Amino acid sequence: MLNTLTPSTTAICEVWRPLEDTDHGAAVSVVLKLRGETCDVDCLYCFEKRKLTPGGARITPEHIRHLGEIFGERPLAIELHGGEPLTVGKESMAALLDELAAQSTVHRVHLQTNAVRLDGEWLDLFDAHYPGLHIGISLDGDEQGNSWRVGYDGNPLYPHIVNALNLLAERQRSCGIVTVVTPAVLGRAAEVIDHIAAFTAVRAVHLLPAFDTTVTQPLKSAGRRTSRSRRLQARAVGEQGAAWAITPAQYAAFVLDAAARWIGAGHFRRIKLDPAVAAIRRLRGLETSHCHFASHKCSHVLTAYPDGRLGSCDELPWPQAQLLPLAAARSEADITQAQHTNPLLTAGRQMMTKCTSCPYREVCGGGCTATRWRMLTATGSDDAYCDHRARLVDGMAHLLAAPDHPAGAHCLRAHWRPDGPDVIGDVDAFLSRWDGPPGARTAVRLRHTDHGTAHADGRREADTLDPRHPQWRDGIEDRVWPLVDTITRSWQAVTYSSCQGHARPDTGQAPSAFRIGLLPRTRSEYAALAARLCHVLAAADGYLPAAVTADIIRTEVTSARTGRRHPALTLTLTPAPAGTWADYFAGLDQAVRTLTHVSRHTPAGTGCACALRPPRPTREER
């Protein structure tokens, strides 16, 4: 049966694509909960134990064989998980790895462990039965960061993890690290990243947020006696949530600081840091396997439990995420049918309709469905989650443009907006001509109309005009000229485009907004201009007409000659949220005069103004 996709469903598919709508070569990720929630430690924040899923039983080779039969030739990415997967014992693990090695469609196997049991015998077993096994270890940074990771006796796991990492280094093995971001590491991102990078076995770090403000009840002990770990947990959980929980805004700030250190210290040469790498790839227009930034979300992730249940992503709540018994699935069609009849997945995909009109959609990818769903059901809104995703994108865009000036990543007034494809014939030649000596300049034909000034031959001003060009003033529209003149003459900055804004009544064309595009010469100048623009907007806050909103846009300009992308900034004046174009144009001249006046009196600074004067909330935020 062919799928008929409307424009709206096509947009949703950019952030959540059903399994049957992907190429059959796209892998399905299968999380094997080898022993359910059974674990030899009792980390206080463990989400698996909060599901109250049965432990004790084991995933068997027959389960794995059946998964291969279900999906046929489709590739499978397998994650051995728990609880603690090593609690299956060496004999059972060997049989599981042998079965995985025998499956030609299994192209990757990852084992996630707390590392308490990991020793030389285990590594020998991995080498013998699945030499390509990827090992992931849970390590929340340094010793202080790991304070929520304890055994049932309440003692810390950190020393055991350090021993395992040192053993891997001795055996010349590598691993990935999963770091849960809790209050124990907030404000110490650089220190934490340096600490993890000091372990030579580490090749990847994945930062996960502890968004557990909705956890208000501690787990109950299964036996008659309450373990010390559960007593510690009971003291950490209350009506306001769990003490290990953080907010989305705190997580975004930590990730940006961690990414800045990762870049600045050169750790990127050896270690992959997520979600930073995923965001960078999407900003560069590249694909990523990170499901929070890709369209292959919950419909491409399955979880198998030892009692025979098969469900969607293991981060979704149970039993709502359950699809069908594994034994009842005979083909991929059975899986997709169960997915389409699952109310939780239906609600999750429907939730993504919010993304279809979001300017961050192409980079953000919609985020984590499970986390958004939890926030939405608990508080009635996932806005805080969406806001933090925007902050991640904005901040990473700054770090790509000006990695030597990390403070700018926290600017709240500069937002990533791909304004493209924005192409200049030869960016290097244009910049060289802008700063070069006076000389011959090619004359251009300018066309003046009631709706603006443009090159008669269709070219843009950046390809031909600069302040030394005899037609420079004539090529800049009247309303935008005073501000362009201030930016180019007083600030000594390069502008590559401008528009005074046009209502275009009775033309059938959409109105255009006021903008000035700036093309920084260097990374340092990019950071300085972004900071200066932030101070301008901060100083103008409260003086602009209510119908006009001022923003700093992070974007890129591509050189047609070289194909290189150059970081750029655009100062825009747009209609306020819920405002009209008529009100906007009525107040536009006053807004431009205000910004021009402020710009003339705003000196170059060393940082943005957000720490001194955060932006006022928009009407939508109120």
Side-chain angles (χ1 to χ4, degrees):
M1 180 178 178
L2 295 177
N3 292 302
T4 302
L5 298 178
T6 65
S8 60
T9 58
T10 300
I12 294 175
C13 283
E14 292 181 10
V15 293
W16 182 321
R17 186 171 294 277
L19 181 59
E20 68 272 21
D21 285 343
T22 57
D23 183 89
H24 205 67
V28 171
S29 178
V30 182
V31 182
L32 300 179
K33 298 290 187 178
L34 297 189
R35 296 197 65 204
E37 56 88 16
T38 298
C39 190
D40 48 1
V41 301
D42 199 30
C43 301
L44 306 190
Y45 55 55
C46 180
F47 75 90
E48 191 64 42
K49 291 179 180 178
R50 292 202 295 270
K51 296 178 184 177
L52 301 178
T53 52
R58 289 175 171 82
I59 292 283
T60 67
E62 289 72 24
H63 289 137
I64 294 173
R65 195 173 305 122
H66 187 46
L67 284 169
E69 295 168 351
I70 292 171
F71 289 101
E73 296 302 314
R74 186 186 281 272
L76 298 178
I78 303 295
E79 182 164 350
L80 307 179
H81 210 281
E84 170 53 44
L86 298 189
T87 59
V88 300
K90 294 184 174 67
E91 183 177 348
S92 294
M93 181 65 76
L96 294 173
L97 294 177
D98 287 342
E99 183 60 40
L100 290 168
Q103 295 269 359
S104 61
T105 56
V106 173
H107 72 101
R108 183 177 185 274
V109 180
H110 177 93
L111 179 139
Q112 186 65 33
T113 176
N114 60 37
V116 170
R117 297 179 180 230
L118 194 63
D119 57 18
E121 290 185 4
W122 273 111
L123 295 180
D124 291 339
L125 184 148
F126 299 154
D127 290 339
H129 295 272
Y130 204 100
L133 180 70
H134 294 259
I135 298 175
I137 292 177
S138 301
L139 174 72
D140 298 345
D142 55 11
E143 186 170 9
Q144 178 181 338
N146 282 270
S147 57
W148 301 106
R149 299 184 56 76
V150 299
Y152 284 94
D153 57 5
N155 291 329
L157 304 182
Y158 179 77
H160 300 284
I161 305 171
V162 170
N163 291 338
L165 289 170
N166 290 335
L167 174 62
L168 288 173
E170 293 171 8
R171 298 284 291 262
Q172 297 184 332
R173 294 285 298 258
S174 62
C175 70
I177 294 294
V178 170
T179 296
V180 178
V181 180
T182 69
V185 298
L186 293 181
R188 303 190 303 114
E191 181 181 345
V192 168
I193 291 300
D194 285 347
H195 184 85
I196 295 175
F199 295 103
T200 58
V202 176
R203 293 292 182 272
V205 178
H206 193 169
L207 303 175
L208 294 180
F211 291 157
D212 286 342
T213 54
T214 59
V215 176
T216 58
Q217 294 294 326
L219 291 172
K220 296 180 180 179
S221 297
R224 298 176 61 183
R225 299 182 60 183
T226 302
S227 66
R228 185 164 183 265
S229 59
R230 296 297 167 90
R231 294 197 297 271
L232 290 173
Q233 187 191 70
R235 289 199 291 268
V237 176
E239 293 182 359
Q240 302 303 314
W244 60 78
I246 62 170
T247 67
Q250 289 173 324
Y251 175 68
F254 182 89
V255 171
L256 292 175
D257 285 341
R261 182 60 180 178
W262 171 70
I263 295 170
H267 298 320
F268 67 90
R269 297 184 178 92
R270 176 171 63 90
I271 295 173
K272 175 186 177 184
L273 178 68
D274 268 326
V277 169
I280 289 172
R281 289 187 62 83
R282 297 304 297 139
L283 283 164
R284 286 287 182 244
L286 303 173
E287 296 297 325
T288 176
S289 59
H290 195 311
C291 62
H292 295 187
F293 290 83
S295 62
H296 294 180
K297 295 196 185 302
C298 304
S299 58
H300 290 71
V301 181
L302 299 172
T303 305
Y305 280 91
D307 62 351
R309 290 176 300 152
L310 184 67
S312 189
C313 172
D314 66 328
E315 292 198 28
L316 289 167
W318 284 76
Q320 297 97 316
Q322 185 171 345
L323 295 175
L324 75 171
L326 180 60
R330 298 300 176 187
S331 68
E332 184 175 313
D334 293 333
I335 302 295
T336 57
Q337 181 180 2
Q339 290 176 334
H340 286 297
T341 57
N342 181 280
L344 181 62
L345 294 185
T346 300
R349 191 163 188 264
Q350 182 64 30
M351 181 176 60
M352 293 294 173
T353 57
K354 177 181 179 180
C355 302
T356 59
S357 60
C358 178
Y360 290 95
R361 184 186 71 214
E362 291 184 6
V363 177
C364 168
C368 175
T369 310
T371 303
R372 287 181 61 179
W373 188 88
R374 285 196 297 270
M375 290 189 175
L376 189 61
T377 55
T379 65
S381 172
D382 61 350
D383 288 349
Y385 181 83
C386 294
D387 289 346
H388 107 277
R389 296 283 295 181
R391 287 293 310 119
L392 285 176
V393 174
D394 293 340
M396 290 308 305
H398 174 88
L399 291 176
L400 275 177
D404 298 330
H405 304 271
H410 296 282
C411 180
L412 300 175
R413 293 183 175 87
H415 309 290
W416 168 259
R417 294 288 187 275
D419 186 21
D422 205 356
V423 181
I424 292 178
D426 190 335
V427 171
D428 294 329
F430 170 64
L431 290 175
S432 177
R433 185 169 62 250
W434 186 286
D435 292 323
R441 298 289 196 273
T442 303
V444 298
R445 290 187 304 131
L446 296 175
R447 177 168 51 88
H448 299 273
T449 71
D450 292 338
H451 306 298
T453 300
H455 291 299
D457 57 7
R459 289 179 295 170
R460 60 189 302 165
E461 64 212 47
D463 288 325
T464 49
L465 298 182
D466 62 84
R468 293 184 175 88
H469 196 289
Q471 293 172 278
W472 167 248
R473 172 62 188 91
D474 199 32
I476 308 298
E477 296 168 327
D478 290 342
R479 182 189 289 135
V480 77
W481 165 254
L483 190 48
V484 168
D485 185 52
T486 298
I487 291 173
T488 56
R489 189 161 50 85
S490 177
W491 292 18
Q492 293 294 299
V494 177
T495 60
Y496 70 94
S497 69
S498 63
C499 178
Q500 69 175 10
H502 304 283
R504 296 195 177 105
D506 305 322
T507 66
Q509 300 181 31
S512 60
F514 179 99
R515 73 176 188 279
I516 300 176
L518 286 72
L519 186 60
R521 302 169 179 86
T522 64
R523 291 173 169 178
S524 295
E525 187 179 50
Y526 178 97
L529 286 174
R532 198 169 191 177
L533 288 170
C534 181
H535 278 279
V536 168
L537 265 58
D541 188 25
Y543 296 96
L544 296 179
V548 179
T549 296
D551 284 302
I552 307 163
I553 303 302
R554 303 187 190 275
T555 186
E556 293 177 331
V557 174
T558 300
S559 175
R561 184 181 68 85
T562 65
R564 178 187 167 196
R565 294 181 175 185
H566 296 256
L569 296 162
T570 303
L571 176 62
T572 67
L573 293 173
T574 56
T580 67
W581 280 105
D583 291 338
Y584 167 77
F585 282 108
L588 183 56
D589 286 334
Q590 177 188 337
V592 174
R593 287 194 297 270
T594 299
L595 286 184
T596 302
H597 174 78
V598 171
S599 297
R600 288 170 177 167
H601 296 85
T602 301
T606 58
C608 79
C610 292
L612 303 175
R613 190 184 301 176
R616 290 186 178 186
T618 65
R619 295 177 185 176
E620 291 177 340
E621 291 170 336
R622 295 190 192 109

